[in-house]
Amino acid sequence: MKKLVALVAALSAVFAYADNYPSKTISIVVPFAAGGPTDRVARDLAEAMRKPLGDVTIVVDNVLGAGSSIGSNRVAKAAPDGYTILLNHIAMATMPNLLRNMPFKVESDFEYLGMINEVPMTVIARPTMPAKNFKEFREWLNAHKGKVNLGNAGIGSASHLCGLMFQNALQIDMTAIPYKGTAPAMVDLMGGQIDLMCDQTTNTTAQIEAKKVIAYGVTTSKRLTTPVLKDLPTLQEDGLKGFDVSIWHGLYAPKGTPPDVVAKINRALKLALKDPDFIKKQEALGAVIINDKRVEPAEHKKFVAAEIAKWSPVIAAAKEYID
Ligand code: ASP
């Protein structure tokens, strides 16, 4: 009987807690640099989720380094109360195979909150690159073998993966220059300190439009519809057979976050994904808002598990690891 009373008391505490949620500032941890593409998604989403969560303040906290594992680990170890959540991309599926000393488990240390969007990538180069189109760019890369600098956001990042696939497809080795996000990499690319980068359109669209970088191709199998990017050829059109990469983003809470709190965040996410202002901002940057069952936590989890399986052989073949 005593046990039953204790159980009922514990359960009512959980429900009372969820009733009051959220009653203070929520922090969305972004494991890449401020001003970059993951940060862009988080800031737009924070704004769109604020109202559905009762006008609560939502801040973005950039916790950088080690291919997003430092920020992700911070959330895996945070109090499971719904006030510290993670927004990360495809790195959730690459980290388990890349990190030799993985400090957390992607599949069991988080509550999955739902997916947000998919974002194509673009191959871009410094503004002084002499090539006028992809054919000439390829010739330039071939002529400068051993001297080409390729920026990325660290091992396991989207730009790293895309860069690896690009080098593989062209059969040209390049020197990877890692940054803590593609925002700082973009600054060096515009300044001509590095030669090229493959990055999400959420970071590259404005710079392409302003002609601060030169775009040579888009990584998806179909051309994009975004006005600024619609004339960019796909890498497949340029002869890179089967090249098809899009980067997805999702939200995660620490394992043990009460189910009612998970449900409240998921509901706010779903409302945000229908918010015309959020959709407009994201679509202008080439992002595609998730509009299928992957907004459900269980489906999100299944999708990430499938992505881990999909990327595992690519990573094994690249033989690059984080110690
Ligand atoms: N675009 C970065 C990446 O390559 C991440 C970022 O800076 O948001 O993964």
Side-chain angles (χ1 to χ4, degrees):
M1 183 63 181
K2 257 191 191 162
K3 267 189 189 159
L4 189 66
V5 173
L7 182 69
V8 171
L11 280 177
S12 5
V14 168
F15 288 126
Y17 179 84
D19 266 0
N20 294 335
Y21 179 86
S23 58
K24 59 176 187 183
T25 300
I26 296 173
S27 163
I28 299 185
V29 172
V30 167
F32 293 106
T38 316
D39 184 71
R40 177 74 274 139
V41 176
R43 284 173 202 273
D44 287 352
L45 187 71
E47 211 179 307
M49 285 176 70
R50 188 170 52 82
K51 273 227 161 60
L53 284 170
D55 254 335
V56 71
T57 305
I58 305 179
V59 296
V60 172
D61 187 9
N62 300 88
V63 182
L64 319 178
S68 88
S69 61
I70 294 176
S72 305
N73 190 39
R74 167 87 61 91
V75 177
K77 307 283 189 305
D81 55 10
Y83 290 102
T84 309
I85 58 182
L86 171 70
L87 188 152
N88 201 357
H89 63 21
I90 197 167
M92 292 303 273
T94 56
M95 280 188 289
N97 287 303
L98 275 170
L99 270 71
R100 287 197 214 262
N101 296 305
M102 183 76 173
F104 59 91
K105 292 197 169 61
V106 167
E107 279 161 302
S108 55
D109 284 350
F110 294 100
E111 304 294 344
Y112 287 63
L113 301 172
M115 286 182 63
I116 306 161
N117 65 9
E118 284 173 315
V119 188
M121 302 186 88
T122 43
V123 173
I124 53 175
R126 57 178 161 82
T128 47
M129 181 60 64
K132 283 194 288 303
N133 50 40
F134 186 80
K135 187 176 164 285
E136 287 183 21
F137 185 47
R138 191 173 187 164
E139 283 161 11
W140 186 92
L141 291 170
N142 260 313
H144 291 80
K145 271 187 181 163
K147 289 186 223 138
V148 180
N149 290 326
L150 167 73
N152 69 37
I155 292 188
S157 63
S159 44
H160 175 236
L161 279 180
C162 183
L164 282 178
M165 292 173 71
F166 189 62
Q167 292 176 74
N168 251 346
L170 293 181
Q171 291 292 300
I172 300 174
D173 280 340
M174 303 178 194
T175 307
I177 313 288
Y179 295 81
K180 289 186 173 170
T182 43
M186 179 63 93
V187 174
D188 275 8
L189 186 69
M190 292 187 301
Q193 278 86 12
I194 53 175
D195 297 309
L196 79 148
M197 175 160 78
C198 180
D199 199 21
Q200 285 101 306
T201 55
T202 30
N203 198 34
T204 63
T205 306
Q207 316 300 359
I208 294 170
E209 187 172 23
K211 301 205 176 356
K212 290 186 177 163
V213 293
I214 305 174
Y216 290 110
V218 61
T219 60
T220 42
S221 56
K222 285 200 187 105
R223 285 194 184 203
L224 306 179
T225 51
T226 319
V228 180
L229 306 169
K230 71 175 178 13
D231 294 329
L232 259 187
T234 67
L235 293 179
Q236 290 198 18
E237 282 173 58
D238 281 322
L240 305 193
K241 254 177 111 193
F243 208 109
D244 189 9
V245 192
S246 233
I247 299 309
W248 43 267
H249 296 86
L251 271 189
Y252 309 82
K255 188 76 190 169
T257 303
D260 283 31
V261 171
V262 168
K264 277 191 176 179
I265 302 173
N266 175 257
R267 185 181 155 272
L269 170 66
K270 283 178 186 152
L271 289 170
L273 299 185
K274 299 251 178 285
D275 177 335
D277 201 42
F278 176 73
I279 296 174
K280 195 170 147 207
K281 280 192 215 155
Q282 287 283 300
E283 285 184 350
L285 299 175
V288 179
I289 306 298
I290 299 287
N291 185 20
D292 57 44
K293 57 187 185 176
R294 291 173 300 166
V295 293
E296 300 299 342
E299 292 296 330
H300 176 197
K301 190 169 184 177
K302 266 195 222 158
F303 176 78
V304 174
E307 285 284 288
I308 293 173
K310 170 176 153 186
W311 287 101
S312 146
V314 179
I315 293 162
K319 294 194 181 72
E320 283 193 43
Y321 298 99
I322 304 178
D323 283 315

